[in-house]
PDB file of all heavy atoms in Angstrom:
ATOM      1  N   SER I  14     -43.998 -15.835  29.446  1.00  0.00           N
ATOM      2  CA  SER I  14     -42.976 -14.864  29.016  1.00  0.00           C
ATOM      3  C   SER I  14     -42.088 -14.493  30.190  1.00  0.00           C
ATOM      4  O   SER I  14     -42.488 -14.611  31.350  1.00  0.00           O
ATOM      5  CB  SER I  14     -43.636 -13.610  28.427  1.00  0.00           C
ATOM      6  OG  SER I  14     -44.356 -12.926  29.419  1.00  0.00           O
ATOM      7  N   ASP I  15     -40.876 -14.061  29.852  1.00  0.00           N
ATOM      8  CA  ASP I  15     -39.915 -13.606  30.852  1.00  0.00           C
ATOM      9  C   ASP I  15     -39.097 -12.444  30.316  1.00  0.00           C
ATOM     10  O   ASP I  15     -38.642 -12.486  29.171  1.00  0.00           O
ATOM     11  CB  ASP I  15     -38.935 -14.725  31.233  1.00  0.00           C
ATOM     12  CG  ASP I  15     -39.444 -15.610  32.341  1.00  0.00           C
ATOM     13  OD1 ASP I  15     -40.027 -15.080  33.297  1.00  0.00           O
ATOM     14  OD2 ASP I  15     -39.235 -16.831  32.252  1.00  0.00           O
ATOM     15  N   LEU I  16     -38.905 -11.462  31.154  1.00  0.00           N
ATOM     16  CA  LEU I  16     -37.983 -10.361  30.908  1.00  0.00           C
ATOM     17  C   LEU I  16     -36.755 -10.673  31.760  1.00  0.00           C
ATOM     18  O   LEU I  16     -36.838 -10.676  32.991  1.00  0.00           O
ATOM     19  CB  LEU I  16     -38.616  -9.040  31.326  1.00  0.00           C
ATOM     20  CG  LEU I  16     -37.793  -7.781  31.109  1.00  0.00           C
ATOM     21  CD1 LEU I  16     -37.646  -7.498  29.610  1.00  0.00           C
ATOM     22  CD2 LEU I  16     -38.464  -6.603  31.803  1.00  0.00           C
ATOM     23  N   LEU I  17     -35.642 -10.979  31.095  1.00  0.00           N
ATOM     24  CA  LEU I  17     -34.448 -11.435  31.810  1.00  0.00           C
ATOM     25  C   LEU I  17     -33.282 -10.491  31.567  1.00  0.00           C
ATOM     26  O   LEU I  17     -33.169  -9.884  30.506  1.00  0.00           O
ATOM     27  CB  LEU I  17     -34.069 -12.848  31.348  1.00  0.00           C
ATOM     28  CG  LEU I  17     -35.155 -13.906  31.540  1.00  0.00           C
ATOM     29  CD1 LEU I  17     -34.760 -15.205  30.858  1.00  0.00           C
ATOM     30  CD2 LEU I  17     -35.422 -14.126  33.014  1.00  0.00           C
ATOM     31  N   GLY I  18     -32.428 -10.380  32.552  1.00  0.00           N
ATOM     32  CA  GLY I  18     -31.231  -9.562  32.414  1.00  0.00           C
ATOM     33  C   GLY I  18     -30.085 -10.385  31.851  1.00  0.00           C
ATOM     34  O   GLY I  18     -29.926 -11.555  32.194  1.00  0.00           O
ATOM     35  N   GLY I  19     -29.314  -9.779  30.988  1.00  0.00           N
ATOM     36  CA  GLY I  19     -28.148 -10.436  30.400  1.00  0.00           C
ATOM     37  C   GLY I  19     -28.080 -10.195  28.917  1.00  0.00           C
ATOM     38  O   GLY I  19     -29.014  -9.671  28.311  1.00  0.00           O
ATOM     39  N   THR I  20     -26.967 -10.576  28.317  1.00  0.00           N
ATOM     40  CA  THR I  20     -26.855 -10.425  26.874  1.00  0.00           C
ATOM     41  C   THR I  20     -27.785 -11.425  26.213  1.00  0.00           C
ATOM     42  O   THR I  20     -27.909 -12.560  26.662  1.00  0.00           O
ATOM     43  CB  THR I  20     -25.412 -10.627  26.399  1.00  0.00           C
ATOM     44  OG1 THR I  20     -24.994 -11.941  26.759  1.00  0.00           O
ATOM     45  CG2 THR I  20     -24.461  -9.595  26.991  1.00  0.00           C
ATOM     46  N   PRO I  21     -28.455 -11.027  25.142  1.00  0.00           N
ATOM     47  CA  PRO I  21     -29.436 -11.908  24.511  1.00  0.00           C
ATOM     48  C   PRO I  21     -28.874 -13.282  24.115  1.00  0.00           C
ATOM     49  O   PRO I  21     -29.515 -14.300  24.374  1.00  0.00           O
ATOM     50  CB  PRO I  21     -29.897 -11.115  23.291  1.00  0.00           C
ATOM     51  CG  PRO I  21     -29.749  -9.677  23.729  1.00  0.00           C
ATOM     52  CD  PRO I  21     -28.495  -9.672  24.557  1.00  0.00           C
ATOM     53  N   ALA I  22     -27.698 -13.329  23.523  1.00  0.00           N
ATOM     54  CA  ALA I  22     -27.135 -14.625  23.100  1.00  0.00           C
ATOM     55  C   ALA I  22     -26.896 -15.537  24.299  1.00  0.00           C
ATOM     56  O   ALA I  22     -27.202 -16.738  24.248  1.00  0.00           O
ATOM     57  CB  ALA I  22     -25.841 -14.423  22.319  1.00  0.00           C
ATOM     58  N   ALA I  23     -26.382 -15.015  25.385  1.00  0.00           N
ATOM     59  CA  ALA I  23     -26.116 -15.824  26.578  1.00  0.00           C
ATOM     60  C   ALA I  23     -27.411 -16.287  27.224  1.00  0.00           C
ATOM     61  O   ALA I  23     -27.549 -17.457  27.611  1.00  0.00           O
ATOM     62  CB  ALA I  23     -25.268 -15.038  27.562  1.00  0.00           C
ATOM     63  N   VAL I  24     -28.381 -15.392  27.348  1.00  0.00           N
ATOM     64  CA  VAL I  24     -29.654 -15.741  27.985  1.00  0.00           C
ATOM     65  C   VAL I  24     -30.377 -16.816  27.195  1.00  0.00           C
ATOM     66  O   VAL I  24     -30.819 -17.840  27.734  1.00  0.00           O
ATOM     67  CB  VAL I  24     -30.551 -14.476  28.138  1.00  0.00           C
ATOM     68  CG1 VAL I  24     -31.974 -14.841  28.488  1.00  0.00           C
ATOM     69  CG2 VAL I  24     -29.952 -13.547  29.182  1.00  0.00           C
ATOM     70  N   ILE I  25     -30.505 -16.615  25.880  1.00  0.00           N
ATOM     71  CA  ILE I  25     -31.222 -17.584  25.048  1.00  0.00           C
ATOM     72  C   ILE I  25     -30.447 -18.895  24.960  1.00  0.00           C
ATOM     73  O   ILE I  25     -31.030 -19.977  24.962  1.00  0.00           O
ATOM     74  CB  ILE I  25     -31.545 -16.991  23.677  1.00  0.00           C
ATOM     75  CG1 ILE I  25     -32.543 -15.832  23.865  1.00  0.00           C
ATOM     76  CG2 ILE I  25     -32.118 -18.041  22.732  1.00  0.00           C
ATOM     77  CD1 ILE I  25     -32.797 -15.000  22.649  1.00  0.00           C
ATOM     78  N   GLY I  26     -29.124 -18.808  24.931  1.00  0.00           N
ATOM     79  CA  GLY I  26     -28.306 -20.022  24.943  1.00  0.00           C
ATOM     80  C   GLY I  26     -28.558 -20.854  26.198  1.00  0.00           C
ATOM     81  O   GLY I  26     -28.686 -22.083  26.118  1.00  0.00           O
ATOM     82  N   LEU I  27     -28.642 -20.216  27.338  1.00  0.00           N
ATOM     83  CA  LEU I  27     -28.924 -20.935  28.598  1.00  0.00           C
ATOM     84  C   LEU I  27     -30.322 -21.539  28.578  1.00  0.00           C
ATOM     85  O   LEU I  27     -30.513 -22.671  29.024  1.00  0.00           O
ATOM     86  CB  LEU I  27     -28.771 -20.003  29.796  1.00  0.00           C
ATOM     87  CG  LEU I  27     -27.349 -19.685  30.228  1.00  0.00           C
ATOM     88  CD1 LEU I  27     -27.366 -18.613  31.311  1.00  0.00           C
ATOM     89  CD2 LEU I  27     -26.653 -20.929  30.740  1.00  0.00           C
ATOM     90  N   LEU I  28     -31.274 -20.800  28.061  1.00  0.00           N
ATOM     91  CA  LEU I  28     -32.651 -21.316  28.008  1.00  0.00           C
ATOM     92  C   LEU I  28     -32.784 -22.504  27.057  1.00  0.00           C
ATOM     93  O   LEU I  28     -33.687 -23.316  27.207  1.00  0.00           O
ATOM     94  CB  LEU I  28     -33.618 -20.212  27.604  1.00  0.00           C
ATOM     95  CG  LEU I  28     -33.804 -19.093  28.630  1.00  0.00           C
ATOM     96  CD1 LEU I  28     -34.645 -17.969  28.036  1.00  0.00           C
ATOM     97  CD2 LEU I  28     -34.433 -19.616  29.903  1.00  0.00           C
ATOM     98  N   SER I  29     -31.880 -22.614  26.105  1.00  0.00           N
ATOM     99  CA  SER I  29     -31.949 -23.713  25.132  1.00  0.00           C
ATOM    100  C   SER I  29     -31.741 -25.062  25.815  1.00  0.00           C
ATOM    101  O   SER I  29     -32.148 -26.080  25.273  1.00  0.00           O
ATOM    102  CB  SER I  29     -30.916 -23.529  24.025  1.00  0.00           C
ATOM    103  OG  SER I  29     -29.607 -23.854  24.477  1.00  0.00           O
ATOM    104  N   ARG I  30     -31.155 -25.051  26.987  1.00  0.00           N
ATOM    105  CA  ARG I  30     -30.903 -26.321  27.709  1.00  0.00           C
ATOM    106  C   ARG I  30     -32.189 -27.029  28.085  1.00  0.00           C
ATOM    107  O   ARG I  30     -32.221 -28.246  28.224  1.00  0.00           O
ATOM    108  CB  ARG I  30     -30.072 -26.063  28.952  1.00  0.00           C
ATOM    109  CG  ARG I  30     -28.676 -25.603  28.634  1.00  0.00           C
ATOM    110  CD  ARG I  30     -27.881 -25.335  29.871  1.00  0.00           C
ATOM    111  NE  ARG I  30     -26.553 -24.830  29.505  1.00  0.00           N
ATOM    112  CZ  ARG I  30     -25.727 -24.276  30.339  1.00  0.00           C
ATOM    113  NH1 ARG I  30     -26.059 -24.172  31.621  1.00  0.00           N
ATOM    114  NH2 ARG I  30     -24.573 -23.860  29.933  1.00  0.00           N
ATOM    115  N   GLU I  31     -33.266 -26.259  28.263  1.00  0.00           N
ATOM    116  CA  GLU I  31     -34.557 -26.828  28.657  1.00  0.00           C
ATOM    117  C   GLU I  31     -35.568 -26.807  27.505  1.00  0.00           C
ATOM    118  O   GLU I  31     -36.708 -27.168  27.709  1.00  0.00           O
ATOM    119  CB  GLU I  31     -35.137 -26.038  29.850  1.00  0.00           C
ATOM    120  CG  GLU I  31     -34.222 -26.012  31.059  1.00  0.00           C
ATOM    121  CD  GLU I  31     -34.018 -27.375  31.680  1.00  0.00           C
ATOM    122  OE1 GLU I  31     -34.978 -28.168  31.697  1.00  0.00           O
ATOM    123  OE2 GLU I  31     -32.891 -27.653  32.128  1.00  0.00           O
ATOM    124  N   ALA I  32     -35.153 -26.342  26.343  1.00  0.00           N
ATOM    125  CA  ALA I  32     -36.085 -26.150  25.227  1.00  0.00           C
ATOM    126  C   ALA I  32     -35.983 -27.287  24.215  1.00  0.00           C
ATOM    127  O   ALA I  32     -34.963 -27.955  24.108  1.00  0.00           O
ATOM    128  CB  ALA I  32     -35.786 -24.821  24.535  1.00  0.00           C
ATOM    129  N   ARG I  33     -37.052 -27.474  23.473  1.00  0.00           N
ATOM    130  CA  ARG I  33     -37.049 -28.403  22.346  1.00  0.00           C
ATOM    131  C   ARG I  33     -36.599 -27.686  21.080  1.00  0.00           C
ATOM    132  O   ARG I  33     -36.124 -28.317  20.140  1.00  0.00           O
ATOM    133  CB  ARG I  33     -38.453 -28.970  22.111  1.00  0.00           C
ATOM    134  CG  ARG I  33     -38.995 -29.805  23.258  1.00  0.00           C
ATOM    135  CD  ARG I  33     -38.730 -31.282  23.134  1.00  0.00           C
ATOM    136  NE  ARG I  33     -39.036 -31.875  21.853  1.00  0.00           N
ATOM    137  CZ  ARG I  33     -40.206 -32.377  21.480  1.00  0.00           C
ATOM    138  NH1 ARG I  33     -41.217 -32.364  22.328  1.00  0.00           N
ATOM    139  NH2 ARG I  33     -40.373 -32.885  20.297  1.00  0.00           N
ATOM    140  N   MET I  34     -36.757 -26.344  21.056  1.00  0.00           N
ATOM    141  CA  MET I  34     -36.397 -25.559  19.885  1.00  0.00           C
ATOM    142  C   MET I  34     -36.282 -24.096  20.311  1.00  0.00           C
ATOM    143  O   MET I  34     -36.988 -23.658  21.214  1.00  0.00           O
ATOM    144  CB  MET I  34     -37.498 -25.720  18.825  1.00  0.00           C
ATOM    145  CG  MET I  34     -37.259 -25.031  17.519  1.00  0.00           C
ATOM    146  SD  MET I  34     -38.664 -25.263  16.375  1.00  0.00           S
ATOM    147  CE  MET I  34     -38.685 -27.040  16.202  1.00  0.00           C
ATOM    148  N   VAL I  35     -35.406 -23.355  19.634  1.00  0.00           N
ATOM    149  CA  VAL I  35     -35.297 -21.901  19.806  1.00  0.00           C
ATOM    150  C   VAL I  35     -35.660 -21.254  18.489  1.00  0.00           C
ATOM    151  O   VAL I  35     -35.166 -21.677  17.435  1.00  0.00           O
ATOM    152  CB  VAL I  35     -33.864 -21.503  20.234  1.00  0.00           C
ATOM    153  CG1 VAL I  35     -33.699 -19.987  20.202  1.00  0.00           C
ATOM    154  CG2 VAL I  35     -33.522 -22.035  21.613  1.00  0.00           C
ATOM    155  N   VAL I  36     -36.494 -20.232  18.541  1.00  0.00           N
ATOM    156  CA  VAL I  36     -36.903 -19.515  17.339  1.00  0.00           C
ATOM    157  C   VAL I  36     -36.485 -18.057  17.473  1.00  0.00           C
ATOM    158  O   VAL I  36     -36.777 -17.409  18.473  1.00  0.00           O
ATOM    159  CB  VAL I  36     -38.432 -19.597  17.120  1.00  0.00           C
ATOM    160  CG1 VAL I  36     -38.843 -18.821  15.885  1.00  0.00           C
ATOM    161  CG2 VAL I  36     -38.874 -21.057  17.016  1.00  0.00           C
ATOM    162  N   LEU I  37     -35.778 -17.588  16.444  1.00  0.00           N
ATOM    163  CA  LEU I  37     -35.305 -16.201  16.404  1.00  0.00           C
ATOM    164  C   LEU I  37     -35.743 -15.567  15.098  1.00  0.00           C
ATOM    165  O   LEU I  37     -35.773 -16.220  14.062  1.00  0.00           O
ATOM    166  CB  LEU I  37     -33.773 -16.157  16.486  1.00  0.00           C
ATOM    167  CG  LEU I  37     -33.151 -16.783  17.734  1.00  0.00           C
ATOM    168  CD1 LEU I  37     -31.639 -16.876  17.573  1.00  0.00           C
ATOM    169  CD2 LEU I  37     -33.511 -15.984  18.970  1.00  0.00           C
ATOM    170  N   GLY I  38     -36.033 -14.279  15.150  1.00  0.00           N
ATOM    171  CA  GLY I  38     -36.340 -13.540  13.931  1.00  0.00           C
ATOM    172  C   GLY I  38     -35.064 -13.107  13.252  1.00  0.00           C
ATOM    173  O   GLY I  38     -33.986 -13.111  13.850  1.00  0.00           O
ATOM    174  N   SER I  39     -35.189 -12.736  12.024  1.00  0.00           N
ATOM    175  CA  SER I  39     -34.046 -12.271  11.242  1.00  0.00           C
ATOM    176  C   SER I  39     -33.883 -10.776  11.436  1.00  0.00           C
ATOM    177  O   SER I  39     -34.857 -10.040  11.523  1.00  0.00           O
ATOM    178  CB  SER I  39     -34.261 -12.566   9.767  1.00  0.00           C
ATOM    179  OG  SER I  39     -33.266 -11.941   8.996  1.00  0.00           O
ATOM    180  N   ARG I  40     -32.655 -10.340  11.473  1.00  0.00           N
ATOM    181  CA  ARG I  40     -32.390  -8.897  11.493  1.00  0.00           C
ATOM    182  C   ARG I  40     -31.962  -8.428  10.114  1.00  0.00           C
ATOM    183  O   ARG I  40     -31.448  -7.343   9.949  1.00  0.00           O
ATOM    184  CB  ARG I  40     -31.313  -8.589  12.534  1.00  0.00           C
ATOM    185  CG  ARG I  40     -31.787  -8.992  13.936  1.00  0.00           C
ATOM    186  CD  ARG I  40     -30.829  -8.575  14.981  1.00  0.00           C
ATOM    187  NE  ARG I  40     -31.445  -7.449  15.662  1.00  0.00           N
ATOM    188  CZ  ARG I  40     -30.847  -6.758  16.596  1.00  0.00           C
ATOM    189  NH1 ARG I  40     -29.638  -7.050  16.961  1.00  0.00           N
ATOM    190  NH2 ARG I  40     -31.469  -5.768  17.182  1.00  0.00           N
ATOM    191  N   HIS I  41     -32.133  -9.285   9.119  1.00  0.00           N
ATOM    192  CA  HIS I  41     -31.807  -9.007   7.724  1.00  0.00           C
ATOM    193  C   HIS I  41     -30.358  -8.533   7.564  1.00  0.00           C
ATOM    194  O   HIS I  41     -30.078  -7.561   6.875  1.00  0.00           O
ATOM    195  CB  HIS I  41     -32.786  -7.995   7.130  1.00  0.00           C
ATOM    196  CG  HIS I  41     -34.200  -8.456   7.197  1.00  0.00           C
ATOM    197  ND1 HIS I  41     -34.659  -9.553   6.494  1.00  0.00           N
ATOM    198  CD2 HIS I  41     -35.253  -8.027   7.920  1.00  0.00           C
ATOM    199  CE1 HIS I  41     -35.929  -9.743   6.762  1.00  0.00           C
ATOM    200  NE2 HIS I  41     -36.323  -8.849   7.639  1.00  0.00           N
ATOM    201  N   LEU I  42     -29.460  -9.248   8.210  1.00  0.00           N
ATOM    202  CA  LEU I  42     -28.034  -8.973   8.095  1.00  0.00           C
ATOM    203  C   LEU I  42     -27.476  -9.727   6.900  1.00  0.00           C
ATOM    204  O   LEU I  42     -27.989 -10.784   6.523  1.00  0.00           O
ATOM    205  CB  LEU I  42     -27.304  -9.420   9.363  1.00  0.00           C
ATOM    206  CG  LEU I  42     -27.759  -8.784  10.668  1.00  0.00           C
ATOM    207  CD1 LEU I  42     -27.065  -9.444  11.849  1.00  0.00           C
ATOM    208  CD2 LEU I  42     -27.470  -7.301  10.666  1.00  0.00           C
ATOM    209  N   SER I  43     -26.392  -9.208   6.355  1.00  0.00           N
ATOM    210  CA  SER I  43     -25.703  -9.942   5.295  1.00  0.00           C
ATOM    211  C   SER I  43     -25.074 -11.185   5.901  1.00  0.00           C
ATOM    212  O   SER I  43     -24.966 -11.320   7.123  1.00  0.00           O
ATOM    213  CB  SER I  43     -24.615  -9.066   4.668  1.00  0.00           C
ATOM    214  OG  SER I  43     -23.571  -8.850   5.619  1.00  0.00           O
ATOM    215  N   ARG I  44     -24.618 -12.105   5.052  1.00  0.00           N
ATOM    216  CA  ARG I  44     -23.978 -13.322   5.586  1.00  0.00           C
ATOM    217  C   ARG I  44     -22.755 -12.973   6.427  1.00  0.00           C
ATOM    218  O   ARG I  44     -22.529 -13.578   7.467  1.00  0.00           O
ATOM    219  CB  ARG I  44     -23.583 -14.245   4.450  1.00  0.00           C
ATOM    220  CG  ARG I  44     -24.760 -14.941   3.861  1.00  0.00           C
ATOM    221  CD  ARG I  44     -24.318 -15.968   2.866  1.00  0.00           C
ATOM    222  NE  ARG I  44     -25.490 -16.484   2.208  1.00  0.00           N
ATOM    223  CZ  ARG I  44     -25.825 -17.763   2.205  1.00  0.00           C
ATOM    224  NH1 ARG I  44     -25.045 -18.645   2.758  1.00  0.00           N
ATOM    225  NH2 ARG I  44     -26.916 -18.158   1.617  1.00  0.00           N
ATOM    226  N   THR I  45     -21.982 -12.010   5.982  1.00  0.00           N
ATOM    227  CA  THR I  45     -20.803 -11.608   6.746  1.00  0.00           C
ATOM    228  C   THR I  45     -21.207 -11.022   8.090  1.00  0.00           C
ATOM    229  O   THR I  45     -20.659 -11.390   9.127  1.00  0.00           O
ATOM    230  CB  THR I  45     -19.970 -10.576   5.948  1.00  0.00           C
ATOM    231  OG1 THR I  45     -19.609 -11.148   4.701  1.00  0.00           O
ATOM    232  CG2 THR I  45     -18.730 -10.169   6.710  1.00  0.00           C
ATOM    233  N   ALA I  46     -22.187 -10.124   8.082  1.00  0.00           N
ATOM    234  CA  ALA I  46     -22.642  -9.507   9.321  1.00  0.00           C
ATOM    235  C   ALA I  46     -23.271 -10.542  10.244  1.00  0.00           C
ATOM    236  O   ALA I  46     -23.168 -10.443  11.467  1.00  0.00           O
ATOM    237  CB  ALA I  46     -23.630  -8.384   9.033  1.00  0.00           C
ATOM    238  N   GLU I  47     -23.939 -11.556   9.676  1.00  0.00           N
ATOM    239  CA  GLU I  47     -24.542 -12.620  10.478  1.00  0.00           C
ATOM    240  C   GLU I  47     -23.478 -13.308  11.346  1.00  0.00           C
ATOM    241  O   GLU I  47     -23.736 -13.694  12.476  1.00  0.00           O
ATOM    242  CB  GLU I  47     -25.222 -13.632   9.564  1.00  0.00           C
ATOM    243  CG  GLU I  47     -26.134 -14.585  10.258  1.00  0.00           C
ATOM    244  CD  GLU I  47     -27.473 -13.999  10.633  1.00  0.00           C
ATOM    245  OE1 GLU I  47     -28.135 -13.422   9.770  1.00  0.00           O
ATOM    246  OE2 GLU I  47     -27.846 -14.124  11.808  1.00  0.00           O
ATOM    247  N   PHE I  48     -22.273 -13.429  10.823  1.00  0.00           N
ATOM    248  CA  PHE I  48     -21.201 -14.092  11.551  1.00  0.00           C
ATOM    249  C   PHE I  48     -20.408 -13.140  12.450  1.00  0.00           C
ATOM    250  O   PHE I  48     -19.958 -13.539  13.518  1.00  0.00           O
ATOM    251  CB  PHE I  48     -20.230 -14.785  10.588  1.00  0.00           C
ATOM    252  CG  PHE I  48     -20.741 -16.099  10.107  1.00  0.00           C
ATOM    253  CD1 PHE I  48     -21.425 -16.189   8.906  1.00  0.00           C
ATOM    254  CD2 PHE I  48     -20.567 -17.244  10.858  1.00  0.00           C
ATOM    255  CE1 PHE I  48     -21.916 -17.400   8.464  1.00  0.00           C
ATOM    256  CE2 PHE I  48     -21.057 -18.462  10.425  1.00  0.00           C
ATOM    257  CZ  PHE I  48     -21.735 -18.538   9.222  1.00  0.00           C
ATOM    258  N   PHE I  49     -20.216 -11.899  12.012  1.00  0.00           N
ATOM    259  CA  PHE I  49     -19.279 -11.036  12.718  1.00  0.00           C
ATOM    260  C   PHE I  49     -19.909  -9.853  13.453  1.00  0.00           C
ATOM    261  O   PHE I  49     -19.252  -9.201  14.238  1.00  0.00           O
ATOM    262  CB  PHE I  49     -18.215 -10.506  11.738  1.00  0.00           C
ATOM    263  CG  PHE I  49     -17.388 -11.597  11.142  1.00  0.00           C
ATOM    264  CD1 PHE I  49     -17.466 -11.880   9.788  1.00  0.00           C
ATOM    265  CD2 PHE I  49     -16.547 -12.369  11.929  1.00  0.00           C
ATOM    266  CE1 PHE I  49     -16.712 -12.901   9.231  1.00  0.00           C
ATOM    267  CE2 PHE I  49     -15.800 -13.394  11.383  1.00  0.00           C
ATOM    268  CZ  PHE I  49     -15.868 -13.659  10.024  1.00  0.00           C
ATOM    269  N   SER I  50     -21.172  -9.575  13.214  1.00  0.00           N
ATOM    270  CA  SER I  50     -21.807  -8.411  13.819  1.00  0.00           C
ATOM    271  C   SER I  50     -22.185  -8.688  15.278  1.00  0.00           C
ATOM    272  O   SER I  50     -22.650  -9.782  15.623  1.00  0.00           O
ATOM    273  CB  SER I  50     -23.075  -8.054  13.041  1.00  0.00           C
ATOM    274  OG  SER I  50     -23.826  -7.102  13.741  1.00  0.00           O
ATOM    275  N   ALA I  51     -22.017  -7.677  16.099  1.00  0.00           N
ATOM    276  CA  ALA I  51     -22.454  -7.793  17.491  1.00  0.00           C
ATOM    277  C   ALA I  51     -23.966  -7.887  17.576  1.00  0.00           C
ATOM    278  O   ALA I  51     -24.511  -8.358  18.562  1.00  0.00           O
ATOM    279  CB  ALA I  51     -21.949  -6.590  18.291  1.00  0.00           C
ATOM    280  N   GLY I  52     -24.671  -7.461  16.522  1.00  0.00           N
ATOM    281  CA  GLY I  52     -26.127  -7.515  16.494  1.00  0.00           C
ATOM    282  C   GLY I  52     -26.689  -8.873  16.109  1.00  0.00           C
ATOM    283  O   GLY I  52     -27.884  -9.079  16.167  1.00  0.00           O
ATOM    284  N   SER I  53     -25.818  -9.781  15.715  1.00  0.00           N
ATOM    285  CA  SER I  53     -26.296 -11.103  15.296  1.00  0.00           C
ATOM    286  C   SER I  53     -26.538 -11.982  16.501  1.00  0.00           C
ATOM    287  O   SER I  53     -25.726 -12.064  17.424  1.00  0.00           O
ATOM    288  CB  SER I  53     -25.257 -11.756  14.401  1.00  0.00           C
ATOM    289  OG  SER I  53     -25.619 -13.099  14.122  1.00  0.00           O
TER     290      SER I  53
END
């Protein structure tokens, strides 16, 4: 495990370069919010 500084999307995006897969939980956003929400 790692506690890293940075915005979650940027941090996980960078880690994807060395990963075989990225797994994220759902925040139960609507389809519109999934695309446009800062929480997505």
Side-chain angles (χ1 to χ4, degrees):
S14 66
D15 273 320
L16 181 69
L17 302 171
T20 60
V24 167
I25 294 171
L27 283 173
L28 292 173
S29 76
R30 293 179 183 167
E31 303 295 323
R33 296 267 313 271
M34 183 182 299
V35 171
V36 178
L37 301 170
S39 171
R40 299 186 106 184
H41 302 294
L42 301 173
S43 68
R44 286 187 187 238
T45 302
E47 193 77 52
F48 280 95
F49 298 114
S50 170
S53 173

